Structures are given as C-alpha cells and as structure tokens.
Amino acid sequence: MPFVNIKITRDGATAEQKAALIKGATQLLVDVLNKNPQTTVVVIDEVDTDNWGIGGETVTARRQQGR
C-alpha cells in the first residue's frame, strides 16, 4: 500500500487544489509503478510558515523580506 506525504505551507491552498494534488499523486503511482489507486494513501500536511525554515530563516521572515 503506497503512502504519500505532501507537506505544504498553510497559506491558502484551496480544497480544490488539495484534491488535485491527491488525485495527481495517486495517478502518478498508477502510471509509474502500476500501483492500485484503491490502496494508495495520500496525506497533505499543512505547516505554518513560522514552522518551516529555509536557509536558517522561517518562511514567514523570508516572505516579509520579499524572498
């Protein structure tokens, strides 16, 4: 049973966009690895930008600096 974990920042992904991610990830496993979509699990974790760091800075701080 494939398990896919997608992590995105919590800043406005719509329900429709998340549904598209789930559908797309599932289909990718079907197409590439011939996995059964009925047993494929996809989880989306939304992370606050204060809890996501890049290059030693939070995403919140980077965005405030325009980066």
Side-chain angles (χ1 to χ4, degrees), residues 2-66:
F3 179 91
V4 178
N5 184 234
I6 299 172
K7 293 184 183 283
I8 59 175
T9 57
R10 181 179 291 134
D11 56 359
T14 66
E16 293 80 15
Q17 290 170 321
K18 290 184 262 186
L21 286 171
I22 292 167
K23 183 176 182 178
T26 300
Q27 191 60 50
L28 182 63
L29 285 166
V30 170
D31 294 345
V32 174
L33 298 176
N34 198 34
K35 294 297 182 178
N36 181 351
Q38 298 304 313
T39 60
T40 298
V41 176
V42 179
V43 174
I44 298 174
D45 289 327
E46 293 182 283
V47 179
D48 289 325
T49 58
D50 286 342
N51 297 330
W52 192 303
I54 301 170
E57 299 176 299
T58 66
V59 170
T60 303
R62 292 175 64 89
R63 288 183 180 168
Q64 288 170 347
Q65 297 167 8

